[in-house]
């Protein structure tokens, strides 16, 4: 009764008109929906409400509503939407997709212990070593830059999570991880599987033509289970032989003793770290490579700063970071220029709410339009330009919105890996710029080839597919420094 009254006095937030049954289904494009959401923002205001086949969606188009709802009211806004396929495949055991509750809280605590701001310092030398090896690979096989990049981020995260050595050249798990990742990303996108729109389909027998849902689900479940448990078994085996190095998994296996709950959850939490931390970091690095090829003058300014502060006799280290303001601004610019998660990671509202005089129904999927924040014009610099200057008050009257306030999410479900991620990005970015020149690909006559790397157009994450780019050492001395440093690790 109370709710009905609330409904009467408060209307839903505005949005495009709906059609019977399908609602706004035809209005929400699959490719780059955040651009359409942003246009709606201009038409309907900062809160936009749409319905797609009975699913309620609320789009937040301003920082204030994100802070108020996702942070101040996080008690209600920290659940995730649920998907039939994902649930069946076990993907809701992954921290990123888990419902808000005791399992999520326990898992989150485990992760936090290993990657909080203090703890990530113990990974500095790992990150420096991986960067040095990565540079040597670039010197030796520059045309395989995309492969090297993916390997570098995978090595960092696999070492931290499972203790796998960075000497493992092409670990058997990496391809398996990558393949499972595709299954995961598909299963948490509204509408990718018809069964999430029309749940009744699940109950149709599988001999009905075209109804392969249950078979797909079963295959996915098996794959997910394999990738969650195989690396764990390896760690346990290594531990028995005394051959495992410290890692998230081995530390917690030692500490948890016979705690059954933790032992059961640990493989899933470990996989969550790998799953959430690998493609996001490599994707961010691909955006960086894209930007460097398109904006050579920024690349030059970055290199000048490094050479001025660090010199050319050694590779950059974490101790240098505080003295590299232009580099730090350029890293912010990478997060802003093409944000990884243009509409964040969706939340599900657990109880009906009232905000700015509007009624927001229970169960509504809430999406912060991060992409729109990234397009702000406060600095007066074109949002499409890659320009670190927009973050420097020595260059502009008003600096752009700080991407650290939106690129890693909000409130209780904010990315717990953000310090680790940012350190990896800093180390890889500075190492590359210090020693390598990145440019658009050229043909055999030295003419620039057309260059416009396509981005994954739909789903939660947005970064380029692997693309061709030219890469060469800045000097013979740089090659010598790289080789010397890499050899010292061997
Ligand atoms: C540049 C790289 C990264 C970006 C841009 C990024 C971004 C994000 C975003 C936007 C979210 C959703 C937050 C929300 O719902 O408000 C998230 C969640 C998460 N991230 Fe990251 N992330 C990155 C790297 C990492 C790394 C290296 C780890 C490894 C520890 C990690 C672990 C996680 C986990 C476990 C979650 C789920 C949190 C939850 O649902 O409670 N991320 N990340």
């Amino acid at each position: 009764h109370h709710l009905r009254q609330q409904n009467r006095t408060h209307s839903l937030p505005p949005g495009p008109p709906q059609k019977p049954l399908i609602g706004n289904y035809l209005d929400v494009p699959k490719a780059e929906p955040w651009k359409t959401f942003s246009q709606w923002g201009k038409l309907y205001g900062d809160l936009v409400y749409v319905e797609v086949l009975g699913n309620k969606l609320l789009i937040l188009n301003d920082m204030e509503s994100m802070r108020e709802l996702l942070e101040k009211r996080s008690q209600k806004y920290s659940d995730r939407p649920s998907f039939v396929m994902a649930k069946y495949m076990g993907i809701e055991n992954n921290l990123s997709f888990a419902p808000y509750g005791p399992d999520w809280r326990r898992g989150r605590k485990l992760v936090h212990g290993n990657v909080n701001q203090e703890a990530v310092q113990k990974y500095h030398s790992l990150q420096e070593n991986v960067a040095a090896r990565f540079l040597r690979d670039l010197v030796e096989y520059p045309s395989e830059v995309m492969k090297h990049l993916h390997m570098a981020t995978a090595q960092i995260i696999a070492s931290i999570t499972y203790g796998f050595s960075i000497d493992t050249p092409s670990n058997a798990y990496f391809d398996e991880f990558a393949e499972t990742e595709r299954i995961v990303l598909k299963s948490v996108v509204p509408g990718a599987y018809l069964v999430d729109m029309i749940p009744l389909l699940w109950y149709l027998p599988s001999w009905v033509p075209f109804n392969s849902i249950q078979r797909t689900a079963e295959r996915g479940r098996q794959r997910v289970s394999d990738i969650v448990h195989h690396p764990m078994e390896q760690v346990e085996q290594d531990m028995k032989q005394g051959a495992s190095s410290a890692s998230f998994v081995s530390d917690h296996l030692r500490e948890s003793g016979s705690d059954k709950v933790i032992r059961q959850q640990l493989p899933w939490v470990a996989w969550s770290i790998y799953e959430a931390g690998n493609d996001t970091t490599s994707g961010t690095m691909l955006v960086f490579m894209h930007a460097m090829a398109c904006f050579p003058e920024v690349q030059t300014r970055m290199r000048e700063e490094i050479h001025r502060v660090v010199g050319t006799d050694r590779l950059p280290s974490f101790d240098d970071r505080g003295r590299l303001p232009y580099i730090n601004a350029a890293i912010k610019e990478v997060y802003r220029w093409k944000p990884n998660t243009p509409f964040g990671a969706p939340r599900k509202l657990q109880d009906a709410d009232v905000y700015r005089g509007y009624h927001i129904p229970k169960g509504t999927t809430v999406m912060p339009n991060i992409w729109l924040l990234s397009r702000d014009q406060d600095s007066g610099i074109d949002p499409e330009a890659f320009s670190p200057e927009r973050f420097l008050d020595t260059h502009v009257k008003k600096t752009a919105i700080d991407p650290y306030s939106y690129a890693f999410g909000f409130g209780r479900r904010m990315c717990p890996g953000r310090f680790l991620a940012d350190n990896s990005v800093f180390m890889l970015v500075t190492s590359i710029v210090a020693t390598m020149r990145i440019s658009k690909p050229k043909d055999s006559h030295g003419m620039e080839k057309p260059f416009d790397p396509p981005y994954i157009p739909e789903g939660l994450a947005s970064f380029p597919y692997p693309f061709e780019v030219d890469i060469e050492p800045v000097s013979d001395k740089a090659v010598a420094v790289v080789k010397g440093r890499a050899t010292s690790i061997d």
Side-chain angles (χ1 to χ4, degrees):
H1 176 75
H2 172 73
L3 251 177
R4 226 184 306 147
Q5 218 163 23
Q6 212 176 40
N7 265 330
R8 221 177 295 141
T9 44
H10 300 284
S11 56
L12 293 165
Q18 299 176 11
K19 297 201 169 55
L21 291 174
I22 59 169
N24 300 102
Y25 180 63
L26 301 173
D27 302 325
V28 182
K30 278 210 159 149
E32 307 189 319
W34 46 89
K35 295 195 175 160
T36 305
F37 296 165
S38 304
Q39 284 159 3
W40 287 343
K42 285 201 194 107
L43 281 174
Y44 303 106
D46 288 334
L47 305 180
V48 177
Y49 180 84
V50 293
E51 273 188 27
V52 175
L53 302 174
N55 296 291
K56 311 173 185 75
L57 306 180
L58 177 68
I59 299 144
L60 310 178
N61 278 325
D62 67 323
M63 184 64 102
E64 194 189 309
S65 63
M66 298 177 204
R67 291 232 172 290
E68 174 63 31
L69 301 184
L70 305 182
E71 287 178 359
K72 296 217 182 93
R73 303 189 192 182
S74 58
Q75 186 63 34
K76 276 186 180 177
Y77 285 83
S78 294
D79 201 8
R80 297 275 191 217
S82 180
F83 298 92
V84 176
M85 277 298 228
K87 193 173 179 142
Y88 186 86
M89 294 179 190
I91 290 167
E92 288 188 2
N93 293 319
N94 182 310
L95 211 52
S96 304
F97 310 107
Y100 186 56
D103 288 348
W104 167 82
R105 197 166 293 115
R106 200 183 315 106
R108 178 107 192 170
K109 227 166 137 182
L110 290 179
V111 173
H112 181 77
N114 285 60
V115 294
N116 62 57
Q117 199 162 10
E118 187 83 5
V120 293
Q121 294 178 24
K122 64 175 182 246
Y123 309 123
H124 281 175
S125 62
L126 166 72
Q127 286 160 320
E128 289 174 1
N129 288 349
V130 168
R133 288 273 186 93
F134 164 66
L135 293 180
R136 183 172 64 186
D137 289 343
L138 282 185
V139 168
E140 286 172 0
Y141 311 99
S143 64
E144 291 180 40
V145 49
M146 293 290 138
K147 199 181 113 199
H148 301 322
L149 253 185
H150 280 107
M151 193 52 88
T153 61
Q155 282 170 335
I156 292 174
I157 204 88
S159 170
I160 290 171
T161 312
Y162 300 106
F164 294 155
S165 155
I166 64 167
D167 286 323
T168 325
S170 157
N171 194 294
Y173 297 120
F174 292 165
D175 292 338
E176 220 177 313
F177 273 124
E179 223 163 285
T180 318
E181 181 63 9
R182 279 190 284 278
I183 297 174
V184 171
L185 286 181
K186 180 166 181 195
S187 77
V188 294
V189 174
Y193 289 110
L194 214 51
V195 64
D196 277 314
M197 295 296 178
I198 312 166
L200 268 178
L201 278 181
W202 185 260
Y203 301 102
L204 290 182
S206 52
W207 48 260
V208 171
F210 306 115
N211 186 26
S212 56
I213 298 166
Q214 301 214 4
R215 243 171 298 142
T216 309
E218 184 50 37
R219 224 179 303 133
R221 201 186 62 77
Q222 192 54 50
R223 284 215 86 111
V224 169
S225 172
D226 286 350
I227 201 59
V228 168
H229 293 103
H230 287 171
M232 281 299 286
E233 287 157 15
Q234 165 104 50
V235 178
E236 284 180 276
Q237 212 178 351
D238 289 352
M239 279 174 77
K240 269 195 209 123
Q241 293 167 352
S244 99
S245 35
S247 67
F248 173 80
V249 166
S250 66
D251 290 356
H252 286 293
L253 277 178
R254 272 188 209 102
E255 283 161 26
S256 62
S258 55
D259 186 328
K260 274 216 183 84
V261 180
I262 298 225
R263 286 218 159 217
Q264 215 197 352
Q265 199 180 2
L266 196 58
W268 293 95
V269 179
W271 173 57
S272 312
I273 298 177
Y274 190 94
E275 190 274 337
N278 188 32
D279 277 9
T280 44
T281 310
S282 65
T284 301
M285 289 307 299
L286 295 192
V287 171
F288 161 74
M289 300 297 285
H290 178 192
M292 289 299 98
C294 293
F295 296 86
E297 64 295 344
V298 174
Q299 190 187 149
T300 304
R301 260 170 266 156
M302 290 171 73
R303 186 171 302 116
E304 280 166 4
E305 184 179 67
I306 299 176
H307 286 174
R308 192 171 63 245
V309 172
V310 179
T312 52
D313 295 335
R314 63 171 176 92
L315 295 180
S317 78
F318 281 99
D319 294 335
D320 301 315
R321 187 159 189 181
R323 290 175 293 138
L324 295 167
Y326 194 75
I327 291 291
N328 289 320
I331 290 172
K332 284 187 186 179
E333 185 65 343
V334 175
Y335 297 133
R336 183 208 66 85
W337 190 51
K338 309 270 182 195
N340 243 237
T341 53
F343 50 89
R347 310 295 183 83
K348 188 173 80 186
L349 179 55
Q350 284 186 298
D351 283 304
D353 199 8
V354 173
Y355 180 53
R356 293 186 187 164
Y358 295 116
H359 166 68
I360 312 174
K362 177 178 173 168
T364 299
T365 297
V366 181
M367 299 189 289
N369 188 350
I370 283 172
W371 186 80
L372 188 60
L373 296 183
S374 76
R375 299 303 95 180
D376 90 284
Q377 314 244 2
D378 288 0
S379 67
I381 299 176
D382 175 11
E384 299 309 313
F386 187 90
S387 167
E389 282 77 7
R390 75 179 77 242
F391 297 111
L392 298 170
D393 51 19
T394 42
H395 284 75
V396 291
K397 266 207 211 94
K398 188 168 189 297
T399 51
I401 307 176
D402 186 345
Y404 288 108
S405 71
Y406 57 74
F408 294 95
F410 304 88
R412 297 186 193 184
R413 296 207 81 141
M414 180 191 261
C415 177
R418 61 196 182 281
F419 304 110
L420 176 67
D422 191 51
N423 282 350
S424 293
V425 170
F426 167 77
M427 190 36 64
L428 291 169
V429 162
T430 34
S431 310
I432 298 174
V433 173
T435 54
M436 302 285 166
R437 190 168 290 110
I438 304 152
S439 52
K440 293 183 183 173
K442 288 170 217 63
D443 64 20
S444 52
H445 306 290
M447 295 287 284
E448 254 174 33
K449 293 188 199 170
F451 183 73
D452 190 13
Y455 279 57
I456 299 170
E458 34 189 271
L460 283 181
S462 166
F463 33 77
Y465 296 104
F467 54 92
E468 189 189 354
V469 68
D470 270 12
I471 191 143
E472 56 178 356
V474 294
S475 66
D476 291 344
K477 185 176 177 191
V479 174
V481 169
V482 164
K483 289 196 168 158
R485 177 68 177 79
T487 314
S488 77
I489 311 161
D490 292 342

